[in-house]
Structure formats: C-alpha cells, structure tokens
C-alpha cells in the first residue's frame, strides 16, 4: 500500500519504518528540514534500538522516503497517518495546533479517496475536529474517512512494540475502512479491535491513566512500607502474582515521567472535567506523583544537609541517569530535570552521567549547573552521595565497591530500587532506596 506518515518523531519514524519493512511504500514527512536532511543521509535523529538499521535497510530497498512536503506525500498515498506532537497547554488541556495544521495541509493536498488515520494521542472528539478542518479547507471533492488508531509503543522498545502490539485499536464506523486498515496490519498477526472513533480515542488515555494509577498506587504502598519496616519489592511481588493485577508497573520509585504519561493523565483529567464527569482517582494519582521527587531530595537534604539556607553547599552529588527511562535519549518530563533543579537550589555541586541522553540533557538542564561526566565512576568520584535516577542496565552491573571507594562519602539514594540492600551494604555503601529500610555499610 502507499502510505504517508506526517510527523517523523519517535512514533512517526517507527511507524513508517515498520510499515516499510512490511513491504509498503512509505513517505515520512516532517516540517523540520534538518531532521529530514539527517534522515535522507541515512542517519537516525533519535536514539531507539533497532530503528537506524530498519530505516537504512528500507531506504536502500526504495520503500522508505523522507520529505518536508506534506502535499507531495499525501498526493502519493491512499492512507495518511497523523503522528505529530500533542503537547500539553498550561492548564493540562492538549494543544492540538500541530494536528490542526497537519489536517489543513492534508485537505489542501487531497486528490482522491484517502483514509486519514490519527495516531497521535488526542482527546475524545478530535477525530470529528479533524474531519471538520479537512471539510473546511479542501478543494477536491474526493471521499475521505478519518480514523482513530492510537499508538501504544514504548520508547526503548518501540520496534518490538510496533511489530508485536498487545492489540491494534481501529476506531471507525466505516466497515470498509476498518477492513482496509485491518488488511494493512494483517501481517503482524495481532488482535485487532474495531470500535467507534470516540471509544478508540478514550482507550488510549484510559490505558495510560490506568498504568499511571498503578505507579502512584505502588508508590503510596512504598510510603507505607517505609513507615512499617516492610519491603515494597516483596509486597509488589505478592500483589503482582495475582493474575487479576499482574506484575508490571508496580515498581516503586520516582514516579512516572516522560513525554506521555504526565500530559495524557492531565489531558484526561481536563476532558473529564470539561464533560462533567469528574475523575477524582486521577487527581490523587497526579498528586502522589508530584510528591516523589521532593520526597527523595528531602531525604538527601536530611542526610547530608547542614541546616543552613543552602543546606547542601559544599556537597558534591552524582546523578546517575538523565533520560526519563532506560534505552531512550528522550528528556521530556525526565525526573532528572526536577532533581537537578532541587539539589542545585539546595546548594549542591552536581556531576551527571547518562549513557545516551547527555546531549539532549545539556540543552534542557544546561551546562552551567551540572558537570557532565564520561561514566558513572567519573561522576561519583569524590561525591558525597550518588542518586540513581534512571535504571540503565549498565548501572545495575556497576562495580559497587569501586564506586564506593572513589566517593568522598559512600552513600547511594536509589530512586529506582535497582540494587538489593544487602549487595550495597556488602560493598561498604550506605543505601537509601524506596519503600525499603535504609541499610548501613558493612565492613568489607
Ligand atoms: N513517544 C512515545 O512514546 C509515544 C507513544 C505513544 C503515543 N505517542 C503520541 O504520538 C504523538 C507523537 O509523539 P512523538 O513522541 O513521536 O512526538 P515527537 O515530538 O517526537 O514528533 C513529532 C514530530 O512531528 C513534527 N511535526 C509537527 N507538526 C508537523 C506538521 N504539520 N507537518 C509535518 N511534521 C510536523 C515535528 O517536527 C516532530 O518531529 C503524540 O501525540 C504522542 O502523545 C507518543
């Protein structure tokens, strides 16, 4: 099939590359000329495992092209995917300006029947809005259908998620359009759920909100465990063994961040208020999430601070991990941003390391307040404490004795619970994690 994908970011590039890999002819569009230049050179502008190889292969085979011209791409395609950004506004509402702009450009380029698929995460009713925008701006009388096909991929494992999604949701009332899209997805051999458009739009937000709820729930349990002297990891294992609950998204720590959960939860809250169906549970989910970073930084201040107005002045703190999660360079709503700001505010000198997100972090956190290092060991050298912010694999296998020996004070605050307290204590390090008792170093 001839497909075009508008918006070549994390979702658009993966979608385009996978459809091309399945044998379709795909054109990916982006308004960012530099990005398109990079892609045309055969390079990948984002860090996503397996994506660069898939892009390069399909480009070589002539099935994947890149352009800045939406008109060119739309005219050549029968199915048009909208994968542009839907960032939050100040009040939590979703900013649909990129979707609206894409819809206008599609309308102006219409030259025959098209299926227009919204893959961007958009509030319920946006499909109707896209249809109206296209109706208002088109010069061609051809038929078109607007469909909701929300995306559920996770950065860091986006190719796998796109090739093996748990389900494919197609929101349309047109049987013919549902059949056409089902045909496109058929080679994946995954469950396809056809719904009306409004339900499909809500499925995406409700899924993310439910996962965010699990995270805030286990974090509240962690608070309880700390008071009660219990171990949240054991409790999570016990809860997750129940098949009605499942083990995923029950890791206590710094809470959810990233480019999706915070904005999607806020957007659903906003929509539910707007529609007069208050969603009180979600308000509590957001409130607990907002307390996670202050809670951890407060523990650092209590342990190391001198009680003064800048309690951490003269203290050096290593920040291990900057990306919002492992296997991505995405810094949007990363917990490291707030952690660095709070520790800096308290007077600490910060030295950070992340395996892939350092360049993006420099642009967001800045280069004045943080010294960027080449390894976790370098960041921890002469530090008064290390804070684990992102659970990168390479941190899990660190030589803790070596790390501790190089520190001024061997203390770890683990925002992701990646170590066992015994293991850290045995390496001669004091260890403060989440929802578990702190442990003092043992003689080595
Ligand atoms: N990133 C994820 O993990 C993820 C997962 C599921 C769903 N989503 C949703 O998918 C959508 C895209 O997310 P993303 O992370 O890929 O965003 P992104 O910011 O990485 O990419 C969006 C791209 O669209 C381009 N763009 C914007 N307007 C355009 C226009 N009119 N014409 C051409 N290009 C345009 C931008 O330049 C940018 O490169 C969002 O709605 C997001 O909520 C994201």
């Amino acid at each position: 099939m001839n497909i075009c994908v508008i918006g070549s970011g994390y979702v658009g590039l993966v979608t385009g590359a996978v459809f091309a890999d399945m044998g379709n002819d795909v054109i990916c569009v982006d308004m960012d000329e530099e990005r398109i230049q990079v892609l045309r050179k055969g390079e990948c502008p984002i860090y996503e495992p397996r994506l660069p190889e898939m892009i390069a292969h399909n480009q070589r085979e002539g099935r994947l092209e890149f352009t800045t011209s939406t008109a060119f791409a739309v005219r050549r395609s029968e199915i048009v995917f909208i994968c542009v950004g839907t960032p939050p506004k100040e009040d939590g509402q979703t900013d649909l300006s990129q979707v609206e702009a894409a819809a206008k450009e599609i309308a102006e380029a219409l030259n025959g029947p098209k299926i227009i698929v919204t893959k961007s995460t958009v509030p319920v009713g946006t499909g109707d809005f896209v249809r109206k925008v296209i109706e208002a701006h088109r010069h061609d009388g051809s038929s078109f259908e607007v469909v909701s096909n929300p995306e559920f991929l996770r950065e860091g494992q986006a190719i796998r998620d796109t090739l093996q999604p748990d389900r494919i949701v197609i929101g349309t009332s047109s049987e013919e359009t549902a059949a056409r899209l089902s045909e496109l997805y058929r080679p994946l051999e995954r469950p396809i759920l056809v719904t009306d458009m409004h339900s499909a739009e809500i499925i995406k937000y409700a899924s993310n909100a439910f996962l965010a709820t699990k995270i805030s729930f286990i974090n509240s349990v962690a608070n309880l465990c700390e008071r009660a002297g219990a171990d949240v990891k054991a409790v999570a294992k016990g809860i997750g063994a129940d098949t009605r609950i499942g083990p995923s998204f029950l890791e206590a720590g710094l809470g959810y961040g990233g480019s999706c959960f915070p904005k999607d939860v806020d957007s659903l809250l906003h929509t539910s208020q707007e529609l007069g169906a208050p969603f009180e549970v979600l308000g509590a989910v957001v409130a607990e999430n907002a307390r996670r970073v202050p809670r951890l930084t407060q523990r650092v201040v209590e342990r190391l601070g001198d009680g003064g107005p800048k309690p951490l002045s003269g203290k050096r703190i290593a920040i291990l991990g900057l990306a919002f999660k492992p296997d991505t360079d995405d810094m949007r709503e990363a917990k490291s941003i707030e952690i660095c700001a709070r520790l800096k505010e308290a007077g600490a000198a910060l030295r950070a390391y992340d395996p892939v997100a350092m360049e993006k972090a420099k642009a967001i956190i800045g280069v004045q307040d943080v010294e960027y290092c080449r390894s976790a060991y370098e960041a921890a050298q002469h530090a008064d404490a290390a804070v684990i912010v992102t659970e990168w694999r390479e941190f899990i296998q660190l030589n803790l004795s070596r790390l501790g020996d190089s520190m001024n004070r061997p203390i770890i605050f683990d925002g992701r619970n990646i170590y066992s307290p015994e293991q850290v204590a045995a390496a001669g390090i004091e260890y403060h994690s989440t929802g578990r008792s702190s442990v003092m170093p043992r003689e080595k």
Side-chain angles (χ1 to χ4, degrees):
M1 291 185 203
N2 289 319
I3 292 170
C4 93
V5 177
I6 304 178
S8 302
Y10 288 88
V11 168
L13 276 181
V14 172
T15 302
V18 168
F19 281 142
D21 212 57
M22 284 156 65
N24 299 288
D25 289 312
V26 180
I27 311 180
C28 286
V29 188
D30 207 285
M31 63 201 286
D32 181 342
E33 284 186 20
E34 205 181 311
R35 177 165 285 240
I36 293 299
Q37 292 294 337
V38 167
L39 286 161
R40 279 187 174 154
K41 274 193 268 167
E43 292 163 20
C44 185
I46 55 171
Y47 179 87
E48 181 61 49
R50 297 171 62 190
L51 181 61
E53 299 86 327
M54 195 178 264
I55 289 177
H57 171 69
N58 286 286
Q59 234 174 343
R60 272 197 308 275
E61 299 289 316
R63 288 190 296 260
L64 184 59
E65 282 178 54
F66 299 98
T67 180
T68 51
S69 169
T70 304
F72 167 75
V74 169
R75 285 198 194 109
R76 286 224 336 225
S77 306
E78 52 192 303
I79 306 180
V80 178
F81 282 89
I82 300 177
C83 298
V84 298
T86 48
K89 291 185 185 172
E90 278 285 298
D91 62 355
Q93 202 182 143
T94 299
D95 177 352
L96 288 173
S97 56
Q98 295 181 31
V99 173
E100 185 176 3
K104 281 184 188 160
E105 288 163 37
I106 294 168
E108 280 157 14
L110 274 191
N111 63 338
K114 312 270 174 204
I115 299 177
I116 294 145
V117 188
T118 312
K119 214 172 227 320
S120 297
T121 303
V122 293
V124 59
T126 302
D128 302 328
F129 170 69
V130 168
R131 191 184 293 129
K132 280 187 197 138
V133 172
I134 296 176
E135 288 288 3
H137 291 85
R138 69 188 178 142
H139 316 293
D140 181 281
S142 308
S143 64
F144 71 92
E145 280 291 333
V146 176
V147 184
S148 168
N149 171 218
E151 181 51 61
F152 299 96
L153 66 77
R154 291 162 290 182
E155 287 173 21
Q157 44 189 315
I159 298 286
R160 186 208 154 274
D161 285 350
T162 308
L163 287 170
Q164 294 162 271
D166 290 339
R167 73 305 204 188
I168 293 152
V169 175
I170 297 174
T172 175
S173 48
S174 156
E175 276 180 30
E176 199 187 324
T177 304
R180 196 89 187 102
L181 281 177
S182 300
E183 182 57 22
L184 173 65
Y185 280 111
R186 192 176 49 82
L188 298 180
E189 298 179 353
R190 305 301 293 171
I192 294 179
L193 179 65
V194 178
T195 70
D196 62 279
M197 195 159 61
H198 288 182
S199 302
E201 289 168 334
I202 290 183
I203 285 170
K204 171 64 192 178
Y205 280 102
S207 300
N208 274 2
F210 190 78
L211 294 172
T213 303
K214 279 184 98 175
I215 294 171
S216 278
F217 183 90
I218 198 66
N219 280 331
S220 301
V221 172
N223 298 342
L224 187 66
C225 288
E226 280 168 23
R227 294 287 169 101
D231 178 341
V232 74
K233 281 221 163 200
V235 175
K237 206 169 174 185
I239 305 171
D242 187 324
T243 50
R244 294 169 302 177
I245 297 171
S248 59
F249 285 80
L250 288 179
E251 274 112 34
L254 289 167
Y256 58 84
S259 67
C260 290
F261 280 16
K263 79 168 172 63
D264 292 352
V265 172
D266 286 350
S267 176
L268 187 58
L269 262 172
H270 189 275
T271 305
S272 57
Q273 267 149 20
E274 212 173 51
L275 296 181
F279 206 146
E280 286 168 14
V281 172
L282 274 191
V285 167
V286 173
E288 176 54 37
N289 200 55
R291 287 191 285 266
R292 302 313 297 170
V293 169
R295 204 181 155 90
L296 180 101
T297 49
Q298 186 54 32
R299 286 174 83 182
V300 178
V301 169
E302 278 165 16
R303 176 64 186 86
L304 298 176
D306 60 12
K310 293 268 181 200
L312 296 180
S313 62
K315 301 289 184 303
R316 187 189 257 213
I317 296 181
I319 304 293
L320 303 189
L322 295 164
F324 92 88
K325 68 172 187 176
D327 291 323
T328 183
D329 60 351
D330 199 343
M331 282 293 297
R332 289 177 286 185
E333 297 284 326
K335 293 293 172 186
S336 59
I337 303 169
E338 188 186 349
I339 290 178
C340 289
R342 285 182 177 272
L343 293 176
K344 190 75 207 165
E345 176 66 27
L350 303 178
R351 286 161 63 82
Y353 168 71
D354 186 282
V356 303
M358 246 136 48
E359 288 312 309
K360 289 199 172 159
K362 283 178 191 169
I364 292 175
I365 298 175
V367 288
Q368 255 135 32
D369 290 346
V370 179
E371 195 180 326
Y372 294 87
C373 301
R374 281 166 304 182
S375 70
Y377 299 111
E378 190 182 310
Q381 219 164 30
H382 308 306
D384 294 285
V387 181
I388 309 282
V389 181
T390 315
E391 62 277 37
W392 282 98
R393 248 183 322 276
E394 68 175 70
F395 298 156
I396 297 169
Q397 295 293 335
L398 279 180
N399 180 335
L400 290 175
S401 280
R402 180 179 157 201
L403 191 90
D405 289 347
S406 74
M407 293 172 77
N408 183 30
R409 283 203 251 183
I411 306 176
I412 290 179
F413 292 89
D414 187 350
R416 301 293 179 187
N417 279 359
I418 64 174
Y419 303 121
S420 82
E422 272 311 296
Q423 170 197 11
V424 188
I429 298 174
E430 180 180 322
Y431 185 55
H432 304 276
S433 56
T434 309
R436 300 183 293 180
S437 302
S438 294
V439 290
M440 288 298 130
R442 277 213 314 269
E443 287 288 317
K444 282 200 280 180

